[in-house]
Amino acid sequence: MSLGLTDLRRLASEQLLQYRRNRNYLIETRTNAEAARISAERRRALGLAPERSGKKHTARELLQMRRWACAIEHVRALLAKERPVQERFMCRCYGLDTAVPLSEQKRARIVKLAIDFHVAESTAYRWCEGIVDLVLLAAVQSRAIEPFEKDEA
């Protein structure tokens, strides 16, 4: 299934908005996996049966989350190094560090950020597009998405 550029940009925007939640989930999963491993070793040492636990996400879904998080972190580091103002804009616009109010419309958020950063509204929208494009490129690089169909010959 091939996605168009508009669909890819929408996907990147959604991933940016989910980044904070997914990152926290990945950290929690890693911590829980370590705790489960230690618990399993203790249970095995005591001769007890292994503990059963249900998974919320498949390994493939976790891998996709990691790849998207890696892509976003790569773009964030790049912007922090080359354009720190845009990196701060990215963090506030997409809620990378703190939650974005669900009741707030995207347009209202961008206008507010344009005022806060002392830039024109059109510049803020251009920054958003640039950020999404950079995230898309990083996602392709990290293999989070494969926008081009492979020829199976």
Side-chain angles (χ1 to χ4, degrees):
M1 182 174 86
S2 180
L3 296 173
L5 188 56
T6 304
D7 296 327
L8 290 171
R9 283 187 172 137
R10 186 176 306 117
L11 177 62
S13 290
E14 289 170 5
Q15 290 297 324
L16 277 161
L17 289 170
Q18 293 175 5
Y19 167 78
R20 190 176 54 81
R21 184 174 34 139
N22 288 346
R23 184 194 62 204
N24 291 339
Y25 179 79
L26 288 169
I27 291 168
E28 180 183 310
T29 301
R30 191 177 316 132
T31 303
N32 289 346
E34 183 65 23
R37 185 186 61 76
I38 292 169
S39 176
E41 289 174 0
R42 285 184 186 148
R43 293 179 73 76
R44 203 173 15 259
L46 295 173
L48 299 172
E51 197 173 306
R52 302 276 179 199
S53 64
K55 289 185 176 178
K56 286 188 175 183
H57 294 283
T58 65
R60 183 174 171 82
E61 290 170 334
L62 289 173
L63 180 62
Q64 282 299 99
M65 277 187 206
R66 276 190 218 103
R67 286 177 174 171
W68 274 106
C70 181
I72 292 168
E73 288 166 4
H74 180 72
V75 169
R76 194 172 175 184
L78 177 76
L79 286 176
K81 181 178 162 187
E82 295 183 10
R83 299 178 185 144
V85 174
Q86 283 187 21
E87 188 266 340
R88 288 194 310 273
F89 178 86
M90 175 184 178
C91 292
R92 288 189 49 198
C93 184
Y94 293 103
L96 301 185
D97 293 327
T98 58
V100 173
L102 295 175
S103 61
E104 191 174 46
Q105 296 281 332
K106 183 178 179 182
R107 178 173 164 32
R109 185 170 65 243
I110 291 175
V111 168
K112 182 180 174 194
L113 286 173
I115 293 168
D116 291 348
F117 282 86
H118 305 287
V119 296
E121 187 178 338
S122 61
T123 301
Y125 276 104
R126 208 170 38 248
W127 284 1
C128 285
E129 288 176 11
I131 289 165
V132 168
D133 289 344
L134 284 172
V135 168
L136 272 177
L137 289 172
V140 169
Q141 218 174 16
S142 69
R143 295 185 300 144
I145 56 172
E146 294 181 1
F148 307 108
E149 293 182 26
K150 294 179 183 177
D151 291 335
E152 308 248 350

